[in-house]
Amino acid sequence: MSCKSCRRKQNACKSKLHQDWSKVYGLKKDLSLKELQHDLEKREIKLGENIVYVYVVATTEIKNNQIFQTGTGPNIEGGLITLTNCKHKMRCEMRDDIKNGIYLNGDLWTICEDNVWIAGLTTRNRSTNPYGKHFLFYLMKVGEYHDSFIDLWRYLQNNYPNALSVKRTVDYDPKSNPLGDVYEPRREWCCNDPFDPNSYHPPHDRHPHHWCTTYQSQPNCHTSCNVSCECWKRDIAYNKCGDPPYLLTGDKDLSYVWQIPKIQLDLNCLIQLISQNKAVNRGFVKSQKIIRNYVILKLSNFSDCLIKSYN
């Protein structure tokens, strides 16, 4: 198969494949900005004492005023948000941040495991977002941190079996999730190395991480024309930091998703916070443009940079 024809095949597949909103049950959905702020206040969340990692979910698309997630991470299906095979570097550095804290402008931000949030924004690429703005796609307080997919599998099996049945992705079961983000341990998993990809079944054959030339050059693996390079193995054996990246599951009571673009990020507000040394910019904003990495700021400051959308 030629590269050109294979690319057409992958793009056609991408256009039809997205996470299923009908399986996003139990999560707070499409809250207005006022409703979101009220819910956080009602739950007595001290915004100034919580830290939020903010990034752009490059695989989001907006069509007919609806947000679609065409990638695997985050996976918002099954009534539980998981972030396990996207933002490897961020999840890796988060471990060090929790251990050592973050120094900003000479001050130390102490980060505890129970005050970390993740916010994912839509891309504002006009080819997939006609509005050209960053909207809030999901916000979650991190509920649990897992070291390996074996740990994650055991946790979901014991606590959220229904979510596991939706999120699992395996090559031997065509009914498993092609956009799932939980790799299934082989039967003898109790005796296997949790960071060896051979300890797991490969994902569904339509899984995006089956279809990329390299993770570096094709971060959105959908668009590659290579048949298979098995870059899902990197999700399991990521080795660019001392310890493996955390696999994250959200707090069910403090997880929010938006199918409709209701809340917009004020980019100028965020840039101002960075210039005032009120946010840690890890390659997130450069020359007034958001790029691939992420920014860390107080949840209170992030909330101040959110505005109601009038689309």
Side-chain angles (χ1 to χ4, degrees), residues 60-77:
T60 51
E61 298 182 356
I62 298 180
K63 295 180 179 179
N64 300 320
N65 203 40
Q66 292 189 68
I67 302 172
F68 295 98
Q69 160 64 314
T70 66
T72 62
N75 185 283
I76 59 175
E77 299 171 313

Side-chain angles (χ1 to χ4, degrees), residues 18-112:
H18 56 78
Q19 291 186 27
D20 189 348
W21 278 110
S22 70
K23 295 180 180 178
V24 182
Y25 33 75
L27 301 178
K28 297 180 182 67
K29 182 180 172 185
D30 292 333
L31 269 62
S32 68
L33 179 57
K34 185 176 181 179
E35 289 170 334
L36 173 63
Q37 293 170 335
H38 176 71
D39 194 70
L40 295 175
E41 180 181 341
K42 179 179 67 176
R43 296 176 184 279
E44 300 182 347
I45 302 299
K46 298 179 180 179
L47 303 186
E49 299 178 8
N50 286 259
I51 303 297
V52 59
Y53 287 70
V54 184
Y55 74 101
V56 172
V57 183
T59 49
T60 51
E61 298 182 356
I62 298 180
K63 295 180 179 179
N64 300 320
N65 203 40
Q66 292 189 68
I67 302 172
F68 295 98
Q69 160 64 314
T70 66
T72 62
N75 185 283
I76 59 175
E77 299 171 313
L80 186 73
I81 301 178
T82 44
L83 185 64
T84 67
N85 57 15
C86 180
K87 303 305 290 183
H88 300 72
K89 188 172 185 290
M90 181 184 80
R91 292 185 286 109
C92 188
E93 293 174 340
M94 187 183 296
R95 183 187 291 268
D96 291 334
D97 293 339
I98 291 173
K99 180 180 179 181
N100 303 315
I102 300 174
Y103 282 94
L104 182 65
N105 199 26
D107 295 328
L108 176 65
W109 285 3
T110 301
I111 301 181
C112 303

